[in-house]
Amino acid sequence: MEKKNIDWGELGFSYIQTDWRYVANYVNGVWEEGGLTAEADVVINECAGVLQYSQSCFEGLKAYTTEDGRIVTFRPDLNGQRMEDSCKRLEMPVYPKEKFVEAVIETVRANAAYVPPFGSGATLYIRPCMFASGPVIGVKPADAFQFRVFTTPVGPYFKGGVKPLTIRISDFDRAAPNGTGHIKAGLNYAMSLHAIVDAHNQGYDENMYLDAATHTKVEETGGANFIFVTKDNQVVTPKSGSILPSITRRSLMYVAKEYLGLETQEREISREELTEFAECGLCGTAAVISPVGKIVDHGREICLPSGMTDMGPVTKKLYDTLTGIQMGRLEAPAGWIQEIG
């Protein structure tokens, strides 16, 4: 298929409308047959549950052009499972993960002309989402919902190359114990907006959130999980019931152990332990890994030995290996790559 006339190398990380999206509606207790539509606008009642009580969840993944010209996506079954988990927690009807994967494939295939070519540094971002479309005025779940999958071509999350970030330990709480931090609910991200704007106004790139109960344990940022590297090259990630289970983090931990032969641990990480790490990175779909060079704890600067110039050596190996798998340069574990075309 002939590609769209887009300057792929100049793309930013922002929305560009593509030709097709997948839509399915839940009405009268069942999911209707979904399908592709060219209509990008959503028309809902003013009393829709998503507008009144924020009953919504979403996912994020990407499609890539591999070195040999195939269009693929990365572990969409895990995104489908995570959306199932989100729906159950938010009293929304589950859209089965098998149908979720089919919808992703169908949407990407229909928008193949928007999948950036290999080597451009750009990808096709895929956004599945579900929201309460039925009207509801009392505080209760809605009875009608819509599931959508849309796509948009995006450039690198960090234009001009990845530079280590400066982050602060935040006084704001991201998620309550036994709350919704472990699911991808839209309301979690709304709660983080004031905190990230405040961080940017103070000269920081991101927030490091601690556990809400004690403010002594590392959790995550507003939109990414943490990975740390010890001075003896052990890869460590925080363990908590209120952390979103990142698919990128899960994959990086596997890569660290099985591809790079490194010792890995998922465990509680104390605030005071931060001075002991050699490297730190934020991991997620958008950037894969964003290195952290400095953590500021209320005026106390914790400078990582990896510095403020480049990724640390272990972080760089993790990044190169995972992106090599995604782009087809390295052999992927069974089931990781979903071929689309």
Side-chain angles (χ1 to χ4, degrees):
M1 178 180 288
E2 185 177 348
K3 297 293 183 182
K4 295 289 183 178
N5 185 22
I6 294 173
D7 189 348
W8 306 107
E10 292 302 314
L11 282 176
F13 202 87
S14 57
Y15 173 73
I16 295 173
Q17 185 174 312
T18 55
D19 294 340
W20 299 97
R21 64 273 313 131
Y22 186 95
V23 178
N25 290 296
Y26 182 86
V27 183
N28 297 324
V30 294
W31 281 106
E32 296 180 344
E33 189 66 32
L36 294 173
T37 177
E39 182 55 65
D41 293 335
V42 177
V43 178
I44 52 176
N45 188 276
E46 63 188 351
C47 200
V50 64
L51 302 179
Q52 304 308 313
Y53 304 119
S54 301
Q55 200 178 8
S56 69
C57 61
F58 69 98
E59 281 297 323
L61 60 161
K62 289 179 176 180
Y64 313 85
T65 301
T66 62
E67 198 163 7
D68 59 4
R70 294 173 297 134
I71 296 175
V72 303
T73 190
F74 184 70
R75 310 191 79 177
D77 56 314
L78 297 187
N79 292 94
Q81 180 61 61
R82 192 166 64 182
M83 179 168 269
E84 282 197 11
D85 296 339
S86 296
C87 289
K88 291 172 184 175
R89 179 63 176 82
L90 294 171
E91 291 297 330
M92 301 169 72
V94 165
Y95 197 75
K97 56 180 174 290
E98 296 80 12
K99 291 180 68 66
F100 173 102
V101 173
E102 290 172 6
V104 166
I105 293 171
E106 192 171 342
T107 309
V108 173
R109 190 170 284 149
N111 291 297
Y114 288 95
V115 181
F118 176 80
S120 64
T123 54
L124 187 73
Y125 192 85
I126 308 163
R127 171 52 57 83
C129 57
M130 191 192 298
F131 54 87
S133 54
V136 55
I137 198 67
V139 182
K140 61 180 181 180
D143 58 8
F145 296 83
Q146 186 171 107
F147 169 77
R148 294 177 76 92
V149 181
F150 66 87
T151 61
T152 182
V154 296
Y157 197 73
F158 295 103
K159 200 72 173 173
V162 178
K163 296 296 180 185
L165 308 176
T166 297
I167 66 175
R168 70 170 183 183
I169 292 181
S170 179
D171 289 327
F172 295 104
D173 293 329
R174 176 191 156 269
N178 302 314
T180 58
H182 63 295
I183 63 169
K184 207 165 176 67
L187 59 91
N188 293 346
Y189 295 80
M191 288 173 61
S192 74
L193 294 177
H194 174 69
I196 190 60
V197 169
D198 184 69
H200 289 166
N201 288 340
Q202 301 298 324
Y204 302 102
D205 297 301
E206 251 294 2
N207 291 294
M208 172 182 283
Y209 293 107
L210 304 176
D211 71 293
T214 70
H215 282 203
T216 62
K217 301 165 190 173
V218 176
E219 293 222 324
E220 60 171 286
T221 72
N225 283 183
F226 280 106
I227 278 188
F228 296 94
V229 181
T230 66
K231 291 172 183 176
D232 61 355
N233 291 342
Q234 183 180 134
V235 180
V236 183
T237 190
K239 183 176 184 178
S240 165
S242 53
I243 290 177
L244 183 74
S246 163
I247 293 158
T248 303
R249 180 186 70 163
R250 178 172 169 175
S251 302
L252 286 168
M253 295 297 279
Y254 182 91
V255 162
K257 184 176 181 179
E258 302 298 335
Y259 280 69
L260 303 181
L262 301 174
E263 187 177 343
T264 61
Q265 266 195 317
E266 181 181 0
R267 60 172 173 79
E268 290 185 347
I269 295 175
S270 73
R271 178 182 194 165
E272 296 307 314
E273 195 179 348
L274 292 172
T275 57
E276 302 301 316
F277 292 114
E279 302 174 37
C280 172
L282 314 182
C283 58
T285 298
V288 182
I289 307 180
S290 305
V292 174
K294 185 188 297 183
I295 303 167
V296 181
D297 185 356
H298 299 82
R300 180 175 68 123
E301 293 190 350
I302 302 169
C303 298
L304 279 298
S306 50
M308 294 297 295
T309 304
D310 299 302
M311 280 190 179
V314 174
T315 303
K316 184 69 164 59
K317 287 179 182 177
L318 288 168
Y319 175 86
D320 288 345
T321 306
L322 187 58
T323 55
I325 290 169
Q326 291 172 336
M327 294 295 181
R329 293 190 297 268
L330 296 173
E331 185 175 351
W336 278 30
I337 300 298
Q338 173 69 60
E339 188 164 339
I340 293 170

